[in-house]
Amino acid sequence: MPENNDIVQLRPRMVQEHEAVLLITYGGHNGELPDLVPRDSTLEALRAFATEAVRAGGVRNIPATPDADFTDFVADRFEPTPETPWARYILRPKTPFGSR
Amino acid sequence: MIETGVVLDKNGEVLFWHEPPGRTSGSIPDDPDLWTRIWEARDIIGGHAHTHPWAGPAYPSEEDLTTYLAIERGLGRKLQWYVVTMTEAARIVIDVVYPAQGLRTPFIGWTALPIDPPAWVNELRNKSTSKEPT
């Protein structure tokens, strides 16, 4: 079975109800925080988790970036579904524009 | 009048129009789908333009500048950014100057360089004159 499917199979047993997987996009790379985050994490906390991990090179697939800055990133929060029965948070760049 | 955006490829041609619901004459809201589409087009994307739908100078807002920086940090490379009014169009060159130690928010320096309007500018202006999002 492919490695990715192994991960999918394991997730329901690994992620508790009060936890979430944090997916990060930075520097042209996508990665998953190796540690689960509290499901009630604030946006500021999610930014801090990501900053610390990416600066230290602690996110698989994202090279260590000592000046990583998530100040203007936002989190999309996806609740568990029958297909993906664990909470997933995606930290991504904000995208609003505004003249006023 | 309503703010409207367009995402451009590396040749400066239109990749797709950015017309999410919730736009007003003064803002385009945060749109997860925009980031998804930018990410999917990351190998060919070249830039983004949006309107400030009035007559007068073309220059970025603070919201624009922080969005530019965030998207470039996400992609890991620079893009070309444009602001278009009903009378002017400019390419925005940003230069981040970090503040003195102890301040969190960087000062963002920028320059608006007037451009000869490419073909997409007229369509962008036309879309920005709509009363309702298209």
Side-chain angles (χ1 to χ4, degrees):
Chain A
M1 184 177 289
E3 182 180 350
N4 283 348
N5 285 347
D6 288 344
I7 293 171
V8 169
Q9 300 265 332
L10 287 171
R11 280 288 178 210
R13 295 200 300 271
M14 296 168 57
V15 183
Q16 305 298 311
E17 193 172 345
H18 63 281
E19 297 172 325
V21 173
L22 180 60
L23 303 165
I24 300 167
T25 301
Y26 200 84
H29 303 276
N30 268 331
E32 180 180 312
L33 198 72
D35 297 325
L36 300 170
V37 300
R39 198 157 157 191
D40 60 356
S41 295
T42 63
L43 174 58
E44 289 71 25
L46 296 176
R47 287 171 175 160
F49 294 144
T51 300
E52 181 178 355
V54 172
R55 287 184 177 180
V59 181
R60 188 176 176 186
N61 294 333
I62 301 181
T65 311
D67 62 350
D69 184 345
F70 289 87
T71 301
D72 289 302
F73 280 50
V74 295
D76 297 324
R77 299 171 189 250
F78 297 93
E79 296 303 313
T81 65
E83 294 75 27
T84 308
W86 58 88
R88 292 175 302 132
Y89 296 167
I90 298 177
L91 197 62
R92 61 158 174 90
K94 74 182 183 80
T95 62
F97 300 89
S99 56
R100 300 193 181 100
Chain B
M1 296 293 190
I2 190 163
E3 287 203 20
T4 303
V6 61
V7 175
L8 307 166
D9 68 16
K10 289 179 177 176
N11 296 318
E13 301 296 328
V14 173
L15 272 178
F16 57 89
W17 298 97
H18 177 45
E19 303 171 274
R23 291 176 293 137
T24 71
S25 62
S27 66
I28 302 176
D30 182 72
D31 178 16
D33 288 343
L34 176 62
W35 172 248
T36 299
R37 296 188 73 181
I38 287 174
W39 180 254
E40 289 172 351
R42 62 190 179 279
D43 292 334
I44 59 173
I45 189 173
H48 179 277
H50 76 285
T51 46
H52 290 174
W54 58 72
Y59 57 86
S61 67
E62 186 71 20
E63 184 85 276
D64 297 338
L65 292 166
T66 51
T67 291
Y68 296 164
L69 282 180
I71 290 174
E72 290 184 349
R73 286 173 175 148
L75 289 176
R77 67 181 176 86
K78 300 281 189 184
L79 297 181
Q80 301 284 317
W81 301 103
Y82 302 91
V83 174
V84 175
T85 69
M86 306 314 280
T87 56
E88 298 184 23
R91 182 168 67 87
I92 310 303
V93 178
I94 56 177
D95 179 26
V96 184
V97 181
Y98 285 93
Q101 190 172 6
L103 298 178
R104 286 179 57 85
T105 305
F107 169 79
I108 305 172
W110 55 270
T111 305
L113 302 173
I115 59 169
D116 289 330
W120 49 259
V121 167
N122 274 344
E123 191 168 355
L124 187 60
R125 285 174 174 152
N126 288 339
K127 287 177 177 288
S128 303
T129 60
S130 304
K131 290 182 179 176
E132 301 294 332
T134 53

